[in-house]
């Protein structure tokens, strides 16, 4: 009979493997579309970086957790462990920021010409690279303390919680770092809620207009924007759902119960969005054409 740890290990192996393969396949579709020399769409600029962040999260965190669950010897030294942990934390922050930027960009794109956001339409496409660069700079600055306080593999007795976080874990709880990441996450999730509510309102108005006019008179571009908006709203919903569940698990682990399964459950939840997001995007991807 399989033990709980073996079942968890099998599930995490499945989660990590499927997530990596799906994201790599989605990334490959973008590369194929760039080969003929086509111009890269602004939305795709964000999505490519989001996919890269998700691949990094799955590889860096999933691999170490699988080794831990199956009690496989860690092959990384202290330096390698620090680098792996930094890559994961940086990719996690970029995932949040680029998901927020994705929602904001789409809300501005579909805003009516008479709305307040319409004034940003022309500028957002020109300044998108600047916003992406700011996301990278912000998260790199936030993650500066991580390599200082991360510790490498250690042999610790198995009865304690420490035995289950010996691979690439924080050596101490950093209040300033926790505050910075929390503020970043709250701001990004708040913007996502606001832009998503705005897009839902616009989609409702669009649905009412479609009921009053013939579908043939509706432009293919407008239909394309509606599909893209629905896809982004679904992605945002999945992200917020698993982010809230992960936050609850993290709080329970930190303040309520130090049971090692809370830690494993928290890791599984943190990797659910990177694993599921490519499956939300893939159905919208025609063969040899842009995803959105």
């Amino acid at each position: 009979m399989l033990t709980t740890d073996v079942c968890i290990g099998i599930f995490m192996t499945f989660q990590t493997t499927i997530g990596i393969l799906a994201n790599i396949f989605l990334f490959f579709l973008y590369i194929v579309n760039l080969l003929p020399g086509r111009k890269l769409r602004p939305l795709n600029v964000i999505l490519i970086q989001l996919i890269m962040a998700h691949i990094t999260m799955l590889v860096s965190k999933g691999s170490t957790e699988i080794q831990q669950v199956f009690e496989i010897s860690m092959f990384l030294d202290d330096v390698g462990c620090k680098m792996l942990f930094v890559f994961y934390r940086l990719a996690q922050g970029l995932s949040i920021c680029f998901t927020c930027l994705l929602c904001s960009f789409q809300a501005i794109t579909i805003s009516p010409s008479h709305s307040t956001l319409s004034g940003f339409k022309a500028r957002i496409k020109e300044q998108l690279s600047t916003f992406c660069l700011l996301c990278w700079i912000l998260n790199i600055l936030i993650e500066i303390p991580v390599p200082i306080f991360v510790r490498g593999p250690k042999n610790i007795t198995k009865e304690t919680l420490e035995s289950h976080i010996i691979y690439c874990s924080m050596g101490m709880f950093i209040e300033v770092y926790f505050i910075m990441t929390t503020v970043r996450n709250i701001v990004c999730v708040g913007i996502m809620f606001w832009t998503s509510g705005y897009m839902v309102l616009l989609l409702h108005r669009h649905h009412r207009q479609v009921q009053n006019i013939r579908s043939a008179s509706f432009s293919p571009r407008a239909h394309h924007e509606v599909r893209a908006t629905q896809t982004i709203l679904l992605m945002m919903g999945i992200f917020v759902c698993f982010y809230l569940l992960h936050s609850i698990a993290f709080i329970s682990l930190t303040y309520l119960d130090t049971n090692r399964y809370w830690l494993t459950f928290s890791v599984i939840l943190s990797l659910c969005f990177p694993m599921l997001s490519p499956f939300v995007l893939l159905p919208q991807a025609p063969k040899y054409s842009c995803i959105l």
Side-chain angles (χ1 to χ4, degrees), residues 47-67:
L47 286 172
I48 286 176
Q49 296 178 86
L50 185 62
I51 294 168
M52 292 174 62
H54 288 168
I55 294 174
T56 304
M57 287 179 64
L58 289 163
V59 171
S60 59
K61 193 64 174 178
S63 59
T64 55
E65 290 299 322
I66 291 171
Q67 285 181 305

Side-chain angles (χ1 to χ4, degrees), residues 29 32 34 38 61 86 89 99 111 143-144 166 193 203 219 223-224 226 233 245 250 260 287:
L29 291 179
V32 168
L34 288 177
R38 299 177 186 177
K61 193 64 174 178
V86 170
R89 295 298 303 180
T99 304
S111 60
E143 302 303 330
I144 286 177
I166 58 175
F193 270 116
L203 287 179
S219 67
H223 179 67
H224 170 80
V226 169
L233 284 173
L245 290 174
F250 178 78
R260 66 188 179 91
K287 193 175 182 180

Side-chain angles (χ1 to χ4, degrees), residues 191-206:
I191 294 175
M192 278 188 261
F193 270 116
W194 182 80
T195 53
S196 298
Y198 179 72
M199 287 189 286
V200 168
L201 178 62
L202 292 180
L203 287 179
H204 178 67
R205 291 178 181 176
H206 163 77

Side-chain angles (χ1 to χ4, degrees), residues 17-31 51 55 59 278:
T17 305
I18 295 299
I20 292 173
L21 292 177
N23 277 283
I24 289 176
F25 178 70
L26 189 59
F27 183 77
F28 174 77
L29 291 179
Y30 285 101
I31 299 302
I51 294 168
I55 294 174
V59 171

Side-chain angles (χ1 to χ4, degrees), residues 64 73-85 150-154 166-169:
T64 55
S73 298
M74 173 60 76
F75 61 90
L76 293 173
D77 57 8
D78 187 66
V79 175
C81 209
K82 289 176 183 289
M83 291 180 62
L84 202 64
F85 198 91
V150 167
R151 60 188 175 191
K154 292 184 179 180
I166 58 175
Y167 295 145
C168 307
S169 59

Side-chain angles (χ1 to χ4, degrees), residues 261-282:
Y261 289 113
W262 276 115
L263 177 63
T264 304
F265 185 56
S266 175
V267 172
I268 291 174
L269 290 174
S270 69
L271 298 179
C272 281
F273 178 65
M275 183 198 72
L276 294 175
S277 59
F279 295 100
V280 177
L281 295 171
L282 281 172

Side-chain angles (χ1 to χ4, degrees), residues 101 105 108-109 120-128 131:
L101 184 59
F105 179 86
I108 295 173
T109 300
F120 297 97
K121 278 188 178 182
R123 286 182 291 172
I124 188 67
K125 293 182 179 180
E126 298 174 355
Q127 299 177 357
L128 182 61
F131 285 113

